[in-house]
């Protein structure tokens, strides 16, 4: 019998697009051998958000240690890697450049191919890590600090964005509202936590529809409604109940995300639905999708919270499929802060 043995593909992946310096080793696109994340959250907390200049400087300080630890944790040497993967956009340009420069230097010195990865493709691909049976096509809602996209994943590396935010991203809305109600940075996890003690029906905040585009989102009106509510409480000399404001805001975001996603699932006829990005770790959002998908007979996929927020394992997974598709980058690879999903700059 002729059994064709495929060679294992091991990828060292690097991610530095925002405020996490991360490196990972991933085998065959599904098996995470190591996943090292050095978070800068504590550093940025006193400024109430990510300070790009501080982020870049901290990435430079940490990147080599993080890469070395990723190889050590995986019990691998650099020479055992088949590719060096790196996020080259979208993100903060100075932050991206640190990872891209490190990846190019390692690739050049070791003569191992370089594969640039789109950050959002990474977020979507995080779903492959713990859901070994998940394969395209499926629909994916990507909700992070910078993006709110409804994406048709047609095949590995092949995407169509059918809905996007017209203003703030979902995570951005969480962060801004958290600041307004005095919870501080990072807003998402804090609102998630206090919402559990609040009444989601206490205040009715608007659920925005974008008239001409059924799957587009708009969160800036919701953010303004929360600010107006807080102002009106102040003018009346009343104290806003933080947990109720948080829970009611979170419910408004969740309702819109669930409604748009379920409409798209029905229209496009997919039976598989996934969520990705930092906001996908929100406990209320996961519960709402679990219940709705179960009721509608849709298979629902989501990464563990660790793989929802920024990490390099997801970049290693996306890179595997890019690598198998023949994608290789040259040493002229640059950071592209506004890189579009599906756009390949080779
Ligand atoms: O994907 P991510 O780590 O970075 C970007 O690519 O933007 O997402 C970060 C965003 C932040 O806005 C953060 O507040 C939000 O995800 N986030 C959450 C939760 N955890 C992180 N939002 C809601 N609930 C959470 N549990
Ligand atoms: Zn991200």
């Amino acid at each position: 019998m002729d059994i064709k043995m495929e060679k294992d593909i091991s990828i060292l992946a690097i991610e530095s697009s925002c405020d996490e310096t991360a490196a990972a080793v991933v085998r065959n696109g599904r098996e995470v051998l190591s996943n090292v994340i050095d978070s800068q959250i504590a550093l940025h907390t006193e400024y109430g958000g990510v300070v790009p200049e501080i982020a870049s400087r901290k990435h430079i300080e940490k990147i080599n240690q993080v890469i070395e630890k990723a190889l050590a944790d995986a019990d691998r040497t650099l020479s055992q890697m088949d590719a060096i993967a790196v996020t080259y956009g979208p993100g903060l340009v100075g932050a991206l450049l640190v990872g891209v420069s490190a990846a190019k230097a390692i690739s050049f010195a070791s003569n191992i191919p370089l594969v640039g990865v789109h950050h959002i493709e990474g977020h979507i691909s995080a779903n492959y890590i713990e859901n070994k049976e998940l394969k395209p096509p499926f629909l994916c809602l990507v909700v992070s600090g910078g993006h709110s996209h409804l994406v048709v994943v047609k095949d590995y590396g092949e995407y169509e964005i059918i809905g996007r935010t017209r203003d703030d991203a979902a995570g951005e809305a969480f962060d801004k509202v958290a600041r307004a109600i005095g919870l501080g940075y990072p807003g998402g996890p804090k609102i998630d936590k206090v919402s559990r003690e609040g009444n989601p029906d206490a205040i009715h905040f608007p659920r925005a529809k974008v008239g001409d585009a059924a799957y587009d989102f708009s969160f800036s009106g919701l953010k303004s409604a929360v600010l107006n509510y807080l102002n009106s409480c102040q003018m009346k000399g009343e104290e806003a109940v933080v947990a109720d404001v948080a829970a009611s805001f979170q419910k408004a975001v969740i309702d819109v995300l669930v409604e748009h996603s379920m409409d798209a699932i029905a229209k496009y006829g997919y039976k598989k639905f996934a969520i990705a990005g930092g906001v996908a770790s929100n406990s209320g959002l996961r519960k709402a999708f679990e219940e709705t998908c179960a009721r509608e007979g849709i298979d629902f996929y989501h990464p563990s919270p660790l793989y929802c927020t920024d990490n390099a394992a997801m970049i290693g997974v996306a890179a595997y499929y890019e690598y198998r598709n023949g994608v290789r980058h040259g040493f002229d690879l640059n950071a592209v802060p506004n890189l579009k999903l599906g756009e390949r700059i080779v």
Side-chain angles (χ1 to χ4, degrees):
M1 198 165 55
D2 181 22
I3 300 173
K4 198 166 157 236
M5 298 286 284
E6 282 206 32
K7 180 186 171 299
D8 277 350
I9 304 291
S10 296
I11 296 184
L12 170 66
I14 299 168
E15 153 67 42
S16 70
S17 66
C18 192
D19 59 346
E20 331 277 355
T21 319
V25 175
V26 177
R27 183 161 63 186
N28 297 333
R30 299 266 173 169
E31 200 186 333
V32 178
L33 301 185
S34 66
N35 185 32
V36 181
I37 305 171
D38 188 276
S39 176
Q40 306 177 358
I41 285 179
L43 261 183
H44 299 281
T45 299
E46 65 175 298
Y47 303 98
V50 178
V51 183
E53 181 58 27
I54 294 178
S56 317
R57 240 182 293 157
K58 213 62 203 170
H59 283 313
I60 293 173
E61 278 175 32
K62 294 286 180 167
I63 194 114
N64 286 343
Q65 299 162 41
V66 166
I67 292 169
E68 276 165 22
K69 183 161 173 25
L71 286 168
D73 285 1
D75 200 17
R76 294 289 187 280
T77 60
L78 185 58
S79 61
Q80 292 172 303
M81 297 298 110
D82 297 283
I84 311 296
V86 65
T87 306
Y88 70 111
L92 301 170
V93 68
L96 287 164
L97 272 172
V98 178
V100 168
S101 308
K104 288 201 286 192
I106 294 170
S107 167
F108 180 75
S110 61
N111 206 20
I112 297 170
L114 178 68
V115 178
V117 174
H118 192 290
H119 183 74
I120 299 300
E121 180 172 14
H123 274 304
I124 295 169
S125 304
N127 277 288
Y128 300 134
I129 297 170
E130 295 150 300
N131 302 299
K132 307 287 182 209
E133 75 287 8
L134 178 63
K135 291 188 178 82
F138 59 92
L139 194 79
C140 186
L141 173 73
V142 187
V143 270
S144 69
H147 296 83
S148 300
H149 282 351
L150 258 174
V151 181
V152 173
V153 182
K154 294 179 168 174
D155 202 345
Y156 295 112
E158 216 183 301
Y159 307 96
E160 184 190 344
I161 301 172
I162 58 167
R164 48 165 46 86
T165 182
R166 294 290 180 98
D167 37 60
D168 291 349
E172 203 177 345
F174 269 94
D175 293 335
K176 287 176 178 171
V177 166
R179 200 176 309 155
I181 55 179
L183 292 176
Y185 172 85
K190 293 193 170 163
I191 289 191
D192 192 350
K193 191 157 173 248
V194 301
S195 287
R196 289 176 208 148
E197 273 107 59
N199 172 8
D201 301 314
I203 310 145
H204 184 80
F205 290 128
R207 276 82 170 144
K209 281 217 181 289
V210 181
D212 54 337
Y215 311 122
D216 278 3
F217 303 102
S218 167
F219 294 110
S220 72
L222 170 59
K223 175 193 65 192
S224 302
V226 176
L227 296 180
N228 289 342
Y229 175 80
L230 295 173
N231 279 341
S232 74
C233 286
Q234 205 179 20
M235 300 218 308
K236 285 187 263 179
E238 293 169 3
E239 201 156 321
V241 181
V242 169
D244 285 352
V245 178
S248 301
F249 159 78
Q250 182 172 293
K251 173 102 186 305
V253 175
I254 293 172
D255 282 355
V256 171
L257 294 175
V258 171
E259 194 189 320
H260 284 34
S261 302
M262 298 319 285
D263 285 352
I265 289 170
K267 162 92 191 305
Y268 284 78
Y270 288 113
K271 286 276 170 217
K272 291 186 280 183
F273 173 69
I275 56 174
V279 182
S281 59
N282 184 273
S283 56
L285 183 75
R286 293 158 90 95
K287 188 161 170 275
F289 273 123
E290 253 152 35
E291 287 170 4
T292 314
C293 288
R295 203 169 52 235
E296 302 291 327
I298 306 293
D299 293 334
F300 173 53
Y301 301 90
H302 55 79
S304 292
L306 178 69
Y307 295 126
C308 285
T309 45
D310 288 349
N311 65 87
M314 67 184 196
I315 302 303
V317 175
Y320 170 77
Y321 294 102
E322 293 286 316
Y323 178 88
R324 289 197 51 163
N325 280 341
V327 173
R328 306 285 185 275
H329 281 91
F331 298 126
D332 55 352
L333 179 70
N334 204 352
V336 185
N338 56 356
L339 185 66
K340 306 277 175 295
L341 187 63
E343 175 185 27
R344 245 182 225 115
I345 300 180
V346 185

